[in-house]
Amino acid sequence: MKQGILVVSFGTTYRETREKNIGAIEQDIRAAYPEIPCYTAYSGDRIRKILKERDGMVVMDSQEALQTMKEDGITQVVIQPTHIMDGIENHVLKEMAERWRPEFDSMQVGMPLLANQEDHEKIAEILWEALSSQIADKTLIFMGHGTHHRANVVYRQLEETFHRMGHEEVYIATVEAEPTLEDVMARMAKKQRRGVVLTPLMLVAGDHAVHDMMGGDDSYLIKLIQQGYQVNVICKGLGEYADIRNIYVSNLKKSMEIL
């Protein structure tokens, strides 16, 4: 039997944040399993196209990666997504994996970052420990991507987890779903705090962070400033936190144990 690991990310066109986040996760996985071949795939078609045309960088999609693994003689596959939640992207990945399962002797798909309440508690503890010294008496707002999939509920669940831990001034808003920043600001208006720390709740601090969080007139930053808030931005993807990366490695290890 020959084992292989496939790390699947949506991807990003921003080189620096790619290296700090996706690249760092892959490095940690290779360090944990130095004897096992580790392959990379991006599910974002547009991202792969831009990387190829702009940078000459060829990144396989998930099916191309599995085909390559098969040709390389891999017979046991563990797929570890770097997705935040079990949403649309993760479901597409799992459906694709089922179609390819007969091509290998065995296959396991690891869990995303926020898979259960225990994960919520771990993530909340990690992020609070990492950010609390910069928050002081300010409000902390995370910017998540958001999805119209039912998995969008994880944002509310994570926020509630922060609150149960005693961190009432933590809010999570999303770019493409609910709650919106406007929803969060309506709740903040009842409080007296005027200082805000704004940071992504995304694996990479890429396009959404640059444009939706701190870019033009419709960005989170500008909207908050227009409402009179003093805003500090921490443009840091989740993959830059070593303890967050450790969760992905731990999820992979669980799959390796049952492979």
Side-chain angles (χ1 to χ4, degrees):
M1 298 294 181
K2 184 177 180 181
Q3 296 179 332
I5 297 168
L6 173 58
V7 182
V8 179
S9 306
F10 184 75
T12 179
T13 61
Y14 290 77
R15 181 185 61 81
E16 184 175 352
T17 194
R18 180 174 65 244
E19 294 174 352
K20 289 181 178 180
N21 294 277
I22 297 173
I25 292 172
E26 293 175 348
Q27 287 176 5
D28 287 357
I29 287 174
R30 290 187 172 97
Y33 293 95
E35 75 285 1
I36 299 178
C38 183
Y39 299 75
T40 297
Y42 287 178
S43 59
D45 294 338
R46 176 177 168 274
I47 289 171
R48 293 195 315 277
K49 184 174 185 291
I50 291 174
L51 290 174
K52 182 178 180 179
E53 294 177 351
R54 186 192 68 190
D55 304 332
M57 177 180 175
V58 177
V59 182
M60 296 180 286
D61 65 25
S62 300
Q63 296 195 75
E64 290 170 338
L66 287 173
Q67 179 62 44
T68 299
M69 294 174 80
K70 182 181 177 181
E71 293 171 356
D72 289 346
I74 303 296
T75 58
Q76 294 182 312
V77 177
V78 171
I79 302 174
Q80 179 56 52
T82 63
H83 302 146
I84 303 296
M85 65 182 70
D86 189 24
I88 294 172
E89 286 290 325
N90 209 57
H91 277 247
V92 170
L93 173 62
K94 290 190 291 186
E95 290 170 358
M96 182 279 302
E98 285 303 311
R99 294 194 299 271
W100 276 83
R101 188 178 295 277
E103 303 294 327
F104 300 92
D105 291 338
S106 60
M107 176 184 289
Q108 294 291 329
V109 180
M111 301 299 290
L113 188 64
L114 291 169
N116 52 52
Q117 182 56 37
E118 181 181 353
D119 291 336
H120 285 76
E121 293 170 0
K122 287 180 182 178
I123 300 305
E125 290 175 0
I126 290 168
L127 293 176
W128 184 257
E129 182 176 350
L131 298 170
S132 58
S133 64
Q134 301 176 68
I135 296 168
D137 61 347
K138 302 179 180 68
T139 295
L140 174 60
I141 300 178
F142 288 101
M143 184 190 76
H145 187 279
T147 175
H148 295 292
H149 189 276
R150 62 181 180 275
N152 194 71
V153 70
V154 301
Y155 295 111
R156 175 179 58 79
Q157 292 171 338
L158 182 59
E159 183 183 288
E160 290 174 349
T161 300
F162 275 107
H163 293 176
R164 283 195 299 273
M165 294 169 57
H167 312 311
E168 294 289 339
E169 296 298 332
V170 176
Y171 300 91
I172 300 177
T174 66
V175 177
E176 297 188 4
E178 295 179 347
T180 63
L181 177 62
E182 286 71 21
D183 295 331
V184 167
M185 287 194 294
R187 295 161 59 198
M188 291 169 57
K190 303 173 184 178
K191 308 293 180 66
Q192 298 301 315
R193 299 188 181 194
R194 304 309 296 172
V196 172
V197 173
L198 180 61
T199 193
L201 188 69
M202 300 179 177
L203 180 69
V204 299
D207 194 67
H208 283 297
V210 171
H211 295 103
D212 296 304
M213 190 175 76
M214 55 185 188
D217 293 341
D218 290 333
S219 69
Y220 276 35
L221 176 61
I222 297 302
K223 287 180 178 180
L224 286 163
I225 291 175
Q226 289 174 342
Q227 292 299 314
Y229 292 101
Q230 297 176 337
V231 187
N232 294 333
V233 176
I234 301 174
C235 192
K236 187 174 182 179
L238 293 179
E240 294 183 54
Y241 301 94
D243 288 338
I244 298 288
R245 298 198 302 271
N246 287 341
I247 293 177
Y248 284 113
V249 176
S250 177
N251 289 346
L252 172 65
K253 288 182 178 178
K254 292 174 183 176
S255 297
M256 296 295 293
E257 290 171 359
I258 61 176
L259 186 60

